[in-house]
């Protein structure tokens, strides 16, 4: 029971627990309009998206955006996203999975690169905050990696060992952040990355959150 009781999941939010692909694509294209760029499809986004985010824009523009361009695009993106996220909901089955993992005696937390002051009331509004021992959003500038945020997140958790922690997310950067702190990762194909771009990271890739939790349980138990 010791290993089982020690199992911990760090959940990603955008594109993982929160099914916000439509708002993300709309916000991205709204930002592109500001620079006269052509809109992209969800498939293009999932094939090209990466962090740091300016590198994603470089793939589309053929160059890195200037500091002034980045500020404009980032501002437009977040304003559009804030307006349209209200039409988005939790990923199918998310509540049941959170409930089941907690009921089994495991712990879980949430770490997102979405701004902290916006994230907390959003999570609270879905009634799922009690499932998490901690909810952390991004503080500081946008566009960077999750790795250092993951360091601080795990340090703030009591009784959680990185070796028995599994990060569940939809982006390659989630796995990079997990490996950075000595945790495991499972990547979910329903969000911002294509399966092909996720598989190159070398961690398990699954098509449903249910599968992600099953794999996370096995990984944590084997640690």
């Amino acid at each position: 029971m010791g290993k089982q009781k020690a199992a911990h999941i760090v959940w990603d939010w955008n594109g993982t627990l929160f099914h916000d692909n439509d708002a993300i694509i709309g916000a991205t294209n709204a930002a592109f309009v500001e620079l006269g760029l052509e809109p992209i499809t969800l498939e293009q986004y999932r094939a090209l998206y990466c962090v740091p985010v300016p590198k994603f824009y470089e793939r589309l523009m053929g160059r890195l955006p200037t500091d002034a361009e980045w500020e404009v695009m980032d501002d437009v993106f977040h304003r559009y996203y804030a307006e349209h996220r209200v039409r988005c909901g939790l990923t199918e089955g998310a509540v049941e999975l959170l409930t089941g993992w907690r009921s089994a005696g495991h712990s879980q937390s949430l770490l997102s690169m979405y701004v902290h002051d916006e994230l907390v009331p959003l999570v609270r509004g879905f009634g799922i905050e009690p499932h998490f021992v901690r909810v952390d959003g991004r503080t500081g500038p946008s566009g960077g990696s999750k790795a250092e945020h993951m360091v601080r997140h795990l340090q703030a958790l009591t009784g959680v060992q990185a070796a028995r922690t599994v990060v569940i997310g939809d982006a390659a950067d989630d796995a990079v952040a997990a490996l950075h702190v000595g945790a495991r990762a499972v990547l979910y194909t329903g969000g911002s990355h294509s399966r092909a771009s996720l598989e190159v990271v070398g961690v398990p890739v699954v098509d449903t959150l249910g599968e992600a939790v099953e794999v996370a349980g096995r990984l944590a138990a084997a640690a």
Side-chain angles (χ1 to χ4, degrees):
M1 283 296 292
K3 289 185 178 181
Q4 292 293 331
K5 294 291 283 185
H8 182 83
I9 289 176
V10 178
W11 289 95
D12 175 54
W13 179 245
N14 303 97
T16 304
L17 288 175
F18 190 44
H19 188 63
D20 60 349
N21 289 348
D22 289 344
I24 291 287
I25 294 299
T28 299
N29 284 331
F32 286 174
V33 167
E34 293 297 314
L35 297 188
L37 299 175
E38 292 295 319
I40 62 171
T41 65
L42 175 60
E43 290 71 25
Q44 289 172 311
Y45 181 94
R46 297 178 76 239
L48 296 173
Y49 181 77
C50 64
V51 294
V53 178
K55 292 292 291 183
F56 166 56
Y57 289 143
E58 181 182 28
R59 291 180 174 185
L60 295 162
M61 299 169 65
R63 62 175 176 82
L64 282 169
T66 65
D67 290 345
E69 288 172 335
W70 165 251
E71 288 182 13
V72 169
M73 295 172 79
D74 193 49
D75 179 65
V76 170
F77 177 95
H78 284 98
R79 280 194 285 111
Y80 182 101
Y81 180 83
E83 293 172 6
H84 290 79
R85 73 184 187 197
V86 296
R87 299 186 180 91
C88 302
L90 297 177
T91 300
E92 184 177 358
V95 173
E96 292 78 10
L97 291 168
L98 294 173
T99 302
W101 185 259
R102 184 184 178 198
S103 297
H106 308 310
S107 61
Q108 55 200 332
S109 58
L110 176 60
L111 175 62
S112 173
M113 293 299 283
Y114 192 46
V115 64
H116 182 78
D117 291 343
E118 296 286 338
L119 173 70
V120 172
L122 186 57
V123 172
R124 190 170 292 152
F126 283 110
I128 59 174
E129 188 181 21
H131 292 301
F132 305 111
V133 296
R134 186 175 182 88
V135 175
D136 282 331
R138 173 180 53 80
T139 56
S142 63
S145 172
K146 186 179 272 189
E148 292 307 316
H149 295 268
M150 186 68 72
V151 172
R152 292 190 292 271
H153 183 73
L154 285 190
Q155 287 175 343
L157 298 176
T158 301
V160 172
Q161 296 178 286
R164 294 176 182 169
T165 295
V166 180
V167 176
I168 297 179
D170 70 312
D173 190 52
D174 292 305
V176 171
L179 298 175
H180 183 69
V181 297
R184 309 289 188 89
V186 182
L187 297 180
Y188 162 63
T189 62
S192 63
H193 278 49
S194 66
R195 172 175 278 277
S197 63
L198 295 177
E199 287 179 337
V200 300
V201 186
V203 302
V205 177
V206 299
D207 295 321
T208 69
L209 290 188
E211 292 175 88
V213 171
E214 288 179 15
V215 174
R218 293 199 297 270
L219 291 175

